Each structure stands twice: as structure tokens, then as C-alpha cells.
Amino acid sequence: MIRLTDVTKDYPSNHGVRHILKGINLTIYPGERIGILGKNGAGKSTLIRLISGAEPPTSGSIERNMSVSWPLAFSGGFQGGLTGADNVRFICRIYGVDYHPRFKFVEEFSELGSYLHEPVSTYSSGMRARLAFAISMTVDFDCYLIDEVLAVGDQRFRDRCRVELFERRKDKAMLIVSHSHRYLKGNCDRFLLFKDGTIEEHSDFEEVYFQYKQQIGEGFQSKEEMVREMN
């Protein structure tokens, strides 16, 4: 279980303190898949970073009784001067897992070829994302944090990512940030909508997506009209 209690997150700006998250309370149970919606800048990615431990909250507490992945395809933890292979080795040492079978998996899944033995600083953003996703799949986490990761690469690679994540890890908890209604509806059973730094929870996808569309100024006259358009 992961529990957030009265979590806030503020950032300084040229116009004063920006209050991104305001008193968030959320509990994530094993095996749940939670979809997250909200307009750009609403705090979705911030929430993912806080749960992963990449950043601390300004106030409140986050209790983790499950192992949590870093945000999938997040490459900010890579050492640019090291090769892709050396970064795999480094991650394996941190998590205390055997390097050799995991390197073989990363090599085959990422399809980076000889670039795995080149410094990560020479990679394109897409190559870094492929490496990050492949490494994420080498460690068995209880909860995976997904921030639009499956937009990485061509359709064939995205299909492989879906199989690896949603079929082979179907018993894992997941938090999924996405703007795709098909992606969220097909993979989630709980939904969170960000509004002015707070979250509303819904179990009805059509209702939460209707509100989200209203929020970003692409509203439909009714939920029925939206459903017709989605289908």
C-alpha cells in the first residue's frame, strides 16, 4: 500500500510561490491501476515524482509499503558520461540484482545495438527513453509509475511495451498519466482528475473524461455526445 496524507508541493517562481499540489490524500492498493487526468501544468507529473521519491513533498507524508518504480522512461537519473551498459550495471548494483541476464534483456528489448556501449550523453531523447523503459522492466516492482511512456518509439515498439507492462505485469499496481481515452479506459479501474491542485476520484471513466474535456476547453454538449465521438 502507498498512502499520501495532506501532501502539498510548492515551487518558487518569478511571480512568487506556485502551489502545485494542495493537501492531496490518496491510497494506492496492490494490483490497482489508477488513471490520472488533468490539463497541462495541473500537477500530474509532480505527483508521479513525489510518489517515486525523486522529489520530497513540501509538507505532508508519503508512506510506501510497496516497492515503487522510478517514472517509466524517466532518464534524469542516468550518468551521461557512462555508457548505456554501464548505467544498466549501476542500476543493478543499486537494487542488488544480477547484471548479466538483465543486460541481455535490455540489449534485446531496447534495440539500441552498438549504442549501448556509447555514452548516454550522445543519445537522442527517444534512445534515452528506450533505455529507461527497458531498464525499468529489469527490476520487479510492486507499483509502476507511468507518465505517457508508451508514446516512445514506433508503433511496433509501443506494442511491445504494452505486452511487457500490462500483460506480463498484470498483477502490479500502476499509476498512469495519459491524455488518451482508449489507453486509460482500457487499462485503469480508478481515475483521478486534477483540479486547481486538488484531486477528484471517479470510478466512472466517461464521467471523469467528460469533466476533463470541459476543463481543457474541448467540452461536449453532453456525455452522450462525447461517447458517440469516442466510439
Side-chain angles (χ1 to χ4, degrees):
M1 181 181 68
I2 300 169
R3 178 177 286 126
L4 285 71
T5 304
D6 296 328
V7 167
T8 67
K9 184 63 179 180
D10 302 332
Y11 291 104
S13 75
N14 292 333
H15 303 287
V17 175
R18 295 178 59 216
H19 305 290
I20 304 300
L21 301 180
K22 306 172 184 176
I24 300 296
N25 292 286
L26 175 66
T27 302
I28 305 160
Y29 296 97
E32 286 191 319
R33 294 183 180 181
I34 302 176
I36 301 175
L37 285 160
K39 62 184 180 181
N40 292 336
K44 306 183 299 295
S45 295
T46 298
L47 179 68
I48 291 290
R49 291 196 299 272
L50 295 185
I51 292 174
S52 74
E55 294 183 29
T58 302
S59 64
S61 64
I62 302 176
E63 176 188 355
R64 302 177 187 87
N65 294 317
M66 297 191 290
S67 60
V68 183
S69 77
W70 55 86
L72 267 61
F74 173 70
S75 55
F78 287 151
Q79 171 51 251
L82 297 179
T83 67
D86 287 336
N87 274 280
V88 176
R89 185 178 290 107
F90 178 65
I91 293 295
C92 288
R93 286 178 178 173
I94 288 177
Y95 287 94
V97 295
D98 188 9
Y99 165 74
H100 295 288
R102 286 164 177 82
F103 173 75
K104 182 175 178 60
F105 172 84
V106 171
E107 183 178 38
E108 294 176 353
F109 194 89
S110 68
E111 299 178 332
L112 291 173
S114 62
Y115 280 102
L116 267 177
H117 302 282
E118 298 292 337
V120 170
S121 60
T122 67
Y123 288 15
S124 67
S125 59
M127 292 165 65
R128 291 169 71 99
R130 280 174 173 256
L131 178 64
F133 184 88
I135 291 178
S136 298
M137 297 296 98
T138 65
V139 181
D140 189 31
F141 295 106
D142 298 320
C143 180
Y144 287 87
L145 306 176
I146 306 164
D147 195 348
E148 291 285 10
V149 62
L150 297 186
V152 172
D154 57 25
Q155 186 60 51
R156 185 181 64 85
F157 186 77
R158 292 197 294 270
D159 290 341
R160 292 176 62 217
C161 290
R162 289 190 188 93
V163 170
E164 192 66 36
L165 185 59
F166 294 118
E167 294 184 16
R168 297 184 180 175
R169 290 165 178 79
K170 59 185 178 181
D171 60 332
K172 305 298 184 180
M174 298 181 189
L175 264 73
I176 303 173
V177 174
S178 180
H179 297 286
S180 168
H181 67 270
R182 290 186 177 87
Y183 186 38
L184 291 176
K185 185 176 182 179
N187 292 300
C188 301
D189 43 46
R190 289 173 64 191
F191 305 96
L192 305 178
L193 179 65
F194 274 76
K195 286 188 175 180
D196 299 320
T198 64
I199 57 174
E200 291 182 359
E201 183 165 346
H202 298 262
S203 58
D204 181 349
F205 175 76
E206 292 174 357
E207 176 61 32
V208 70
Y209 197 69
F210 179 73
Q211 291 194 32
Y212 164 68
K213 284 295 194 178
Q214 297 285 332
Q215 185 185 87
I216 63 174
E218 298 179 7
F220 295 88
Q221 293 297 317
S222 66
K223 215 166 32 168
E224 290 73 19
E225 179 189 353
M226 181 194 71
V227 171
R228 287 195 301 271
E229 184 72 21
M230 287 166 54
N231 294 331

